Amino acid sequence: MNALPARIGALLLLALALSLATEGFATATNLLNVLRQASLLFLVASGLTLVIIGGGLDLSVAANLTLSACTAALAFKATGSVAAAVATALGCGLAVGLLNGLLVAVVRVPAFLATYGTLWIASGAAYWLMAGRVVYGFPPALRGLGTGFVLGVPTPVWIMLAVAVAGGAFLFLSAAGREVFFTGANEEAARLSGIPVRRRRILVYGLSGLMCGVAALVYLGRVNAAEAGLGDPLLLPAVAAVLIGGTSLFGGAGGLAGTLVGALILTTVTNGLNLLDVGAAWHPFVTGTIILAALGADALLARRGA
Amino acid sequence: MRRVTAALVLATMLAAPPTARAADETIAAFSKNQVDPHFEGLRIGVDQAAAALGATVRHYVPTRPNNIAEATSQLEDVVAAHPAAALFMAVDARAQLPGVQRLIASGVPVVNYNDRAGDAPFVSYVGQDDFALGKAIALHLFDHLGGRGGVVILEGVRGSTTGDDRRRGFEAAARERPGIRILASQPANFQRLPALQAMENIMQRYPRIDGVIAAADAMALGAVEALAAAGRANVPVVSINGVPEAVEAVRDGRILAIAEFNGFRIGCVAANLAIRHLRGENVPREVLLPGAIITRANMAEWLVPFAQRRCPPPIPAT
Amino acid sequence: MPMAERALPAPFRRAPGAAVALVVLVAIFAASSGGRFLSVGNLVSLSSQVALLLLVALPMTFVVLTEGLDLSVGALMGLAGVVAATAMLGGWGVPGALLAALGTGLVLGAVNGALIAWGGMPAFVVTLGTMGLAEGLALAVTDGEPVSGFGDAPRLAWQAMIGPVPLPVAVAAALYALLHLLLYRTPFGAHVVAVGGNREALRLAGIRGRAVHAAVYVLSASCAALAAFLLVGRTNAAHPTVALGVEFDAIVAVVLGGTSFERGQGWLFGTVLGAAAIGVLRNGLNVLAVDPSLQVVAVGLLAILALVAGNRRGGRART
C-alpha cells in the first residue's frame, strides 16, 4: 500500500509552515484558490495515474490538453454551440488517448516513445490549426466550468472531487479497475489468469485522453482563450504530481487520492513561493527537492516496514 | 489566415508588377515561436512587404517555443540554405551571436529586427525601444493613479532582452514617481496561465492592489481574468504589444492602455529594407519605430486583423 | 562496424528503424534540395549538431541498457555550462573550467547513481528530481541571465577542425570508440548488459553490480558535462536552460537505434544511426524550409513510424 497518510501529513505540515510564515495563506479564499489551481493539474494527472498503475506511461497529456482545447475553441467559433465545444474537447481527447492505446497495446511500441510521438503530433496539429492565432471569448455556460462557484466552492474543484471519487470507485470497486492493477503488477501473470490485458491497456489510455478533454474545458472556462502550446507548462508538474502522490512507475500500485495530494502539494508550494515573493527561478529547484524528498520518505518507510 | 494573406498578397503582386527584380531573392525570416500572435503579425508583415517587391520568404521558427538550442541549429542550417538575405531576431542574443556572425560571414546580408541581437555587422536594425515602451506605459498607469498606489509587475522571461529591458523601463518609471510602491514583481514567462495563477496568488497577499503592469498582452489578459474572477475588475491593467485580442479588451474597458509594439509594421519595414539593400539601395542603419499608447480613445486602428492591414509607406533611402 | 557482437545476436535482423529512416531521409533531402543539403558547409554543421547529441545519447545507451533512463542530462548541461563559464571568468583557465564542469557532472551523476543503485528508487523519478535541482540551481545562480565574456577559447574549440573533421565530431568519435571498447570488450560492459538483462541477478550481484549500475549514471552525467562545455563554445555564452529537452532527443535516438528498454538488448552503433536520423530530419526540414508547424508533426511521425517499421518487439517503458 502507498504511504498516503505520510503524504497528507507532509501537506498539512507545509500548510502549517506557510500559515505561520505568511499573512495571506491561511484564509478561506486562498485555500479555495489553491484548490482551484490544483484542479487543472489534477485532471491532467488523474488519467496519467491510471496509465501508470497499469504499467504504462503517457507523455502526451499536456499536448493532448492543448489540442483538445484548441479544437474545442475552433468548434465553438464555427458553430456557436457550447455543446459542440464540449463534444469536440471530449472527442479529441479520447481520440488521442485511444491512438496511444492502440500504439502501445496493439502495435506494441514502447509507451515512452509512442506517447512521446503523439506529444509531437498533437502539438504540431495544434500549431497548424491555430497558425499563430488566439481563439478567445466564450459564453458564460462554458466559462462557468472554470470560474463558476457552486455552494461557495469553485466549480473546477467539484469536478476534481467528482473525478477523484469516480476514478477511485473504478480502480478499487470495479472488476476492470482491479484488472488494471494486476496488469501493471505483472503483465504475464495477468494474461495467464485470463485478464484481457490489451483491452485494459487501451481503456486506461482512452480514459487518460478523456481526462485531458475534461481538463481542456476547465482550461477554456478559466482562461477564456486557446492558443497553441497552452498546455506545455503542465507536463512535468503532472508527472511529478502522480509520482509525489506515491503511484509507482513500476505499475500495480497507487491511486487517485495520492495524486490529489501530490497536485495539492505542488500547487501549495507555488502559492507559497508567490506569497513569499520568491523569484520564479527557485520553483524548479523546490519541485525537484520535493520529488526526491517523497522518494526518500518512501524508501525509509519501506525499510522500517520490512 | 496565412492562406488569406497569400491570396491578398498575390492580388497586390498582379496589380503592381515589381521592378528591378534580381534572379533569386529568397529571404530567410527568423521568429521566436508559433504561439504568440505578435510573431504571426510580424510574419504576415514580412510576407506582405516581400510580395509587394516580388521576393520569396521562408520562415524559420523553432518547433519548441523560444528554444535556444533549436534556434541555434536553424541558424546553422540557414547558412547551408544560403538565402539572398535574412531577417534575424535572437531567442537569446548572447547565445546566438556567433551563429549570426557566421551567417553574415558566409555572405548573407542580415537585417536585425524585433529586438537587438548584439554586436554583428547587420545591414540595419528595425525595432522599437523596449525600455522606452516599458517606461511610457508604466508612467501612463502611474499618472492614471494620480502618482500614488501599490502596483504589481508581471515580467516576461528573466534573461530575455525584451523582458529585461521592459522591466527596467517599469522600474525607471517607478523611480520617477515616489508615491508608487511596487508590491510584487514576478516572472510569468510571457504566458497566460502562469500570469493568471501568479496574479491569483499575489491577490491573496495584497487585499489592495491599485494597478498591474504586464510586460506583454498574453500576461495582461491572464491577469484580467484573475482580477475579474476575484471581483476586482476595476483594478487598471496596462500592457505592451497591442495584438487585436488585447485591443478589444481596451475597447471593452478591461485593459486601461497598451504601449504599441507593432510586429506587423516591424516585419513590413525590415523585409522592405532587406530587399532594397539587395537591389543596391543605401538603407538606413537603424529604424526605431515609434510606439503609440493605445487607449479607448484611439484603439480602432489596432482592431484590424493583421491579414487586412497594409504595410506603411517605405522608409526613404539614405 | 559492430556487426557481430557477442552479446547481440544479428542486430540487423532487428532492422532498427533508424537505419531505414536515415537512408530514406537522406535520399529525399539530397534529391530535393538542389545540392544544398550535401554541401560541405551543411555537412559540417549537421555533423557537429549530431556529434553534440551523441555525447549525450551514447552514454544514454548504457543507461537504457540497465532498463533506466536519465532525464537530468539536459538540465545538467545548463548547470555545467554555467559552472564552466563562471570558472573561466574567475580566471581558472580552460582546463580548470573543463574540470569544474566535469566535477559538476560527477557529483550529479553520483547522486543519481547512488539513489538508483543503492536506494533502489526508480530512475525516472530520481532523474526527474535531479533535473529540477540542476535547472533550479542554474537559474537561481544566474537569475536567468546567460553568462558570457569569458574569452574566445570555447568558441574556437567548437569551430576547430582536425583536418577535414570538426572537433566536436572528433570528440564524439573518440567517445564512441571508448564506449564501444567499454561495452563490448570489458567486464564492465558485460555487467551493464547483465544488469538490464536480469534485475534479480543484479540484486543478488551485491556491491559490484550496484557499483556498475551507479557508474552508468556517472558516465552519463560526465559526458553531458563535456557536451556542455562544447555547447558553451557553440553559443559563446552559458545559458542556464539552453539544453532542456535534449534528454528526450537522446532517448529517442537510443531507442530508434534498436536498444530496448527491457531485457538488456542494445546496439551502440544503432544509437549513432538514431542520432543521425534525428539530426538529418531536423536539418533537412530547415534546409528545405518546410512549414514550421508541419516540422513539429514530422518529428512525431518519425519517432512512431521508425519504431513501427523497425522495432516491432513487445514492450512497455519499464523504467
Side-chain angles (χ1 to χ4, degrees):
Chain A
M1 210 39 228
N2 60 56
L4 190 57
R7 293 183 152 73
I8 296 175
L11 176 60
L12 293 178
L13 273 180
L14 185 64
L16 184 66
L18 282 173
S19 40
L20 294 176
T22 72
E23 295 165 28
F25 182 80
T27 63
T29 50
N30 188 49
L31 295 178
L32 287 178
N33 168 48
V34 168
L35 283 170
R36 187 171 53 193
Q37 292 190 351
S39 62
L40 198 56
L41 184 57
F42 172 77
L43 290 175
V44 175
S46 61
L48 180 60
T49 309
L50 302 186
V51 172
I52 293 178
I53 289 174
L57 185 63
D58 188 352
L59 294 177
S60 71
V61 283
N64 190 356
L65 163 68
T66 302
L67 185 62
S68 301
C70 289
T71 50
L74 289 172
F76 174 76
K77 289 298 166 185
T79 61
S81 142
V82 171
V86 172
T88 309
L90 300 181
C92 174
L94 183 63
V96 175
L98 289 177
L99 174 65
N100 283 327
L102 288 175
L103 284 170
V104 173
V106 180
V107 189
R108 302 193 66 75
V109 176
F112 185 93
L113 283 138
T115 58
Y116 187 60
T118 46
L119 181 169
W120 281 93
I121 292 174
S123 309
Y127 282 132
W128 184 74
L129 280 172
M130 303 304 280
R133 279 173 303 164
V134 180
V135 176
Y136 54 93
F138 302 106
L142 192 52
R143 296 296 321 270
L145 290 176
T147 51
F149 284 83
V150 177
L151 304 176
V153 174
T155 313
V157 177
W158 288 111
I159 298 175
M160 170 167 79
L161 292 176
V163 167
V165 170
F170 164 76
L171 273 178
F172 294 103
L173 300 179
S174 77
R178 281 196 300 274
E179 288 172 2
V180 169
F181 274 105
F182 288 136
T183 307
N186 189 334
E187 181 179 353
E188 215 43 55
R191 185 171 292 124
L192 290 175
S193 58
I195 290 174
V197 167
R198 194 179 278 192
R199 286 219 306 273
R200 290 297 162 260
R201 195 145 275 167
I202 295 175
L203 174 69
V204 288
Y205 282 102
L207 285 174
S208 177
L210 191 64
M211 292 321 300
C212 294
V214 175
L217 292 169
V218 170
Y219 180 96
L220 289 180
R222 216 158 125 60
V223 179
N224 199 23
E227 60 211 316
L230 62 87
D232 292 354
L234 281 169
L235 173 59
L236 290 178
V239 176
V242 178
L243 300 178
I244 292 171
T247 294
S248 162
L249 264 175
F250 295 119
L256 286 169
T259 301
L260 181 58
V261 175
L264 285 172
I265 289 178
L266 284 174
T267 311
T268 305
V269 166
T270 310
N271 176 260
L273 291 173
N274 279 151
L275 292 181
L276 297 167
D277 205 19
V278 174
W282 286 99
H283 293 193
F285 183 84
V286 174
T287 309
T289 310
I290 293 172
I291 292 174
L292 292 177
L295 268 179
D298 276 356
L300 281 179
L301 285 173
R303 206 155 291 174
R304 204 176 302 163
Chain B
M1 187 183 265
R2 213 177 274 167
R3 276 163 219 114
V4 178
T5 325
L8 279 173
V9 157
L10 197 63
T12 326
M13 276 169 64
L14 292 173
T19 53
R21 195 176 164 218
D24 177 25
E25 289 182 329
T26 302
I27 311 289
F30 291 86
S31 46
K32 297 185 200 182
N33 64 56
Q34 305 175 52
V35 178
D36 186 343
H38 167 79
F39 295 114
E40 185 63 10
L42 176 132
R43 287 188 288 266
I44 291 173
V46 169
D47 288 345
Q48 194 183 113
L53 292 172
T56 317
V57 179
R58 286 183 172 166
H59 290 285
Y60 296 87
V61 194
T63 54
R64 289 177 267 228
N66 297 40
N67 185 293
I68 301 165
E70 216 182 299
T72 307
S73 293
Q74 284 187 327
L75 198 48
E76 291 166 0
D77 296 343
V78 168
V79 175
H82 202 80
L87 310 174
F88 178 74
M89 69 177 82
V91 171
D92 183 276
R94 266 172 278 190
Q96 287 181 267
L97 189 59
V100 76
Q101 283 168 338
R102 281 209 285 173
L103 179 61
I104 295 171
S106 77
V108 176
V110 179
V111 170
N112 175 203
Y113 69 154
N114 197 72
D115 48 283
R116 291 196 193 269
D119 183 23
F122 294 114
V123 171
S124 64
Y125 171 72
V126 180
Q128 294 185 239
D129 184 340
D130 280 302
F131 175 85
L133 291 178
K135 193 172 169 189
I137 197 65
L139 286 175
H140 185 90
L141 174 70
F142 299 161
D143 292 343
H144 175 83
L145 297 174
R148 229 189 305 279
V151 298
V152 168
I153 292 176
L154 295 172
E155 307 167 20
V157 177
R158 279 269 168 95
S160 73
T161 321
T162 310
D164 287 351
D165 284 354
R166 291 178 184 180
R167 177 166 54 98
R168 279 191 270 272
F170 302 151
E171 289 162 0
R175 280 193 295 275
E176 287 185 15
R177 295 289 185 277
I180 292 292
R181 209 156 56 86
I182 295 179
L183 301 172
S185 185
Q186 286 276 338
N189 296 346
F190 293 123
Q191 287 172 316
R192 208 178 288 248
L193 184 63
L196 186 148
Q197 299 199 342
M199 197 64 220
E200 283 176 341
N201 291 338
I202 293 168
M203 277 191 290
Q204 305 301 326
R205 172 147 176 224
Y206 298 104
R208 179 175 169 170
I209 293 170
D210 296 305
V212 177
I213 310 172
D217 286 347
M219 295 192 293
L221 290 158
V224 164
E225 292 299 337
L227 289 165
R232 298 209 223 170
N234 57 337
V235 175
V237 177
V238 296
S239 165
I240 299 176
N241 267 143
V243 300
E245 179 190 7
V247 179
E248 280 181 27
V250 172
R251 180 192 62 197
D252 302 341
R254 290 179 292 133
I255 290 181
L256 175 70
I258 303 173
E260 173 198 23
F261 184 62
N262 194 327
F264 175 79
R265 214 164 50 192
I266 293 171
C268 288
V269 174
N272 179 274
L273 290 191
I275 297 163
R276 284 162 56 205
H277 170 81
L278 279 180
R279 295 176 185 175
E281 275 189 58
N282 280 327
V283 296
R285 292 275 303 144
E286 178 165 302
V287 181
L288 278 188
L289 297 167
I293 297 287
I294 305 170
T295 64
R296 235 171 154 168
N298 66 353
M299 49 88 210
E301 174 188 341
W302 292 276
L303 278 177
V304 181
F306 295 122
Q308 289 162 28
R309 295 190 191 177
R310 284 273 153 269
C311 279
I315 309 268
T318 50
Chain C
M1 283 298 132
M3 296 284 298
E5 302 307 337
R6 282 161 297 168
L8 306 166
F12 264 130
R13 203 173 54 201
R14 279 191 266 120
V20 182
L22 186 59
V23 172
V24 173
L25 286 173
V26 170
I28 293 174
F29 292 136
S32 52
S33 74
R36 278 184 199 131
F37 177 74
L38 291 176
S39 70
V40 173
N42 190 48
L43 291 182
V44 166
S45 69
L46 170 60
S47 59
S48 302
Q49 287 166 17
V50 172
L52 200 58
L53 178 56
L54 274 178
L55 292 185
V56 181
L58 287 172
M60 187 72 84
T61 315
F62 283 61
V63 176
V64 174
L65 273 172
T66 64
E67 296 188 5
L69 45 71
D70 188 348
L71 295 177
S72 66
V73 284
L76 168 65
M77 280 173 75
L79 179 63
V82 167
V83 168
T86 312
M88 277 185 283
L89 282 176
W92 287 32
V94 171
L98 201 52
L99 282 178
L102 277 176
T104 312
L106 282 174
V107 170
L108 198 83
V111 170
N112 282 337
L115 291 176
I116 293 163
W118 277 282
M121 303 172 184
F124 188 102
V125 196
V126 169
T127 57
L128 187 69
T130 49
M131 169 190 187
L133 292 189
E135 181 191 345
L137 271 182
L139 277 171
V141 167
T142 61
D143 202 16
E145 301 262 3
V147 183
S148 61
F150 40 69
D152 276 342
R155 187 173 57 81
L156 295 176
W158 170 260
Q159 293 175 359
M161 302 286 281
I162 298 176
V165 182
L167 180 74
V169 178
V171 172
L175 183 68
Y176 176 79
L178 197 70
L179 294 186
H180 182 91
L181 290 177
L182 191 62
L183 182 59
Y184 296 122
R185 300 274 182 269
T186 66
F188 178 83
H191 263 101
V192 168
V193 175
V195 165
N198 190 336
R199 253 171 205 286
E200 200 55 25
L202 163 73
R203 209 176 55 76
L204 299 173
I207 293 180
R208 193 142 169 225
R210 290 192 173 164
V212 168
H213 198 182
V216 297
Y217 289 92
V218 176
L219 179 70
S220 166
S222 312
C223 292
L226 181 67
F229 190 81
L230 284 172
L231 189 58
V232 168
R234 184 190 192 195
T235 58
N236 209 18
H239 197 292
T241 56
V242 65
L244 293 184
V246 163
E247 59 277 2
F248 286 103
D249 279 353
I251 293 165
V252 171
V254 170
V255 182
L256 274 180
T259 296
S260 162
F261 262 119
E262 35 186 55
R263 287 179 300 192
Q265 291 182 343
W267 188 29
L268 194 59
F269 189 71
T271 300
V272 178
L273 293 177
I278 293 172
V280 166
L281 178 77
R282 286 190 171 277
N283 170 277
L285 291 172
N286 284 334
V287 171
L288 297 185
V290 171
D291 185 283
S293 64
L294 295 181
Q295 288 195 17
V296 184
V297 180
V299 175
L301 282 179
L302 172 84
I304 288 182
L305 287 182
L307 280 162
V308 173
N311 282 19
R312 292 197 55 170
R313 289 158 300 138
R316 310 165 274 164
R318 286 310 204 119
T319 47

